[in-house]
Amino acid sequence: MNASGGTAFVFPGQGSQSVGMLKALAADHSQILGTFREASEALGYDLWELTQNGPEEALNRTAVTQPALLAADVGCYRAWRARDGIEPVVMAGHSLGEYAALVCAEALDFRQAVRLVARRGALMQAAVPQGEGAMAAILGLDDAAVEAVCRDCAHGETLAAANYNAPGQVVIAGTKAAVDRALVAARSAGARRSVVLAVSAPSHCGLMREAAQQFAQDLAGAALNAPVVPVIHNATVAALSEPGPIREALVSQLFSPVRWVETIRRMAEWDVSRILECGPGKVLTGLNKRIVDLPCASLGEPADFGAALGVTGP
């Protein structure tokens, strides 16, 4: 570990939500409940109540999941900063988490972001009728092999690599029939495992282009500032500082793959000494450990939060 390096923050996206998330951390840090109150006011319903008590089916609806995770990620970050936690030198978010990174980098107002991601989720859900799209994780094949499976199994339908999550772990997305064909082909190609994901919309593929065009109109009216901390974007693997390119990156993110492996490797070029996952769960921490040789930890539980904070001071 390079003691002189800075701290990097990453923010999780869909898939990290769970009923009861951040309950223990919120008991110690009032910033989390305060953040959820702000989100609830922007949405017109009690978001904290829903995240704590469910039902799970409601929390897993994309238009609800997205603002819930945004509030969880931002609330966790606010709690960190309120305890004199060190300011990161660079940030990134996985898919929806990119909005949390932009909020925490002061590029996007939180309440505005809540409304934007709720709209984003609704557009994504409406883009593909329930049951007609799918996403699946392919484990044990390299990127090129997964891309070849997608080409061979598309048969004129939409099918593409959607998330390059870690070496040997790629998520694909497209029409359900094409994904089903790819699962069979991936196993034949030597995949260790291939699993259909429990998602309500096939993100980061061509099926989201129409939703992206509509969402571009919402983003056009959003106020954006230059981030005070660099934010590496999923679609471009670049840290952008101008509102126009940031909007373009957020639009293209909807139908472009999440280049997480490249993002984390790019992050390491900032001479960081550790990467902290700011939000519920430990999904990104597990992925990041497979990508770079750096200490990686999560902040979603009190013990983990305290351990990470202890590195930088009381």
Side-chain angles (χ1 to χ4, degrees), residues 10-14 16 69 73 93-94 96-97 100 277-281 283-284:
V10 294
F11 298 85
Q14 286 185 245
S16 289
L69 280 171
D73 291 0
H94 191 285
L96 179 277
E277 179 175 4
C278 190
V283 172
L284 298 184

Side-chain angles (χ1 to χ4, degrees), residues 69-135:
L69 280 171
L70 175 68
D73 291 0
V74 172
C76 189
Y77 184 78
R78 288 175 172 177
W80 171 264
R81 295 293 286 145
R83 296 303 185 275
D84 295 325
I86 192 170
E87 183 177 58
V89 297
V90 62
M91 298 192 287
H94 191 285
S95 190
L96 179 277
E98 192 165 287
Y99 290 81
L102 289 169
V103 169
C104 296
E106 300 177 27
L108 187 59
D109 172 75
F110 174 63
R111 292 187 186 221
Q112 178 176 241
V114 168
R115 290 188 288 268
L116 278 173
V117 301
R119 169 69 171 162
R120 178 180 182 266
L123 288 171
M124 290 170 66
Q125 189 66 69
V128 182
Q130 190 74 29
E132 292 188 14
M135 300 183 77

Side-chain angles (χ1 to χ4, degrees), residues 222-240:
L224 281 165
N225 304 308
V228 298
V229 176
V231 174
I232 304 174
H233 290 265
N234 291 178
T236 62
V237 196
L240 306 172

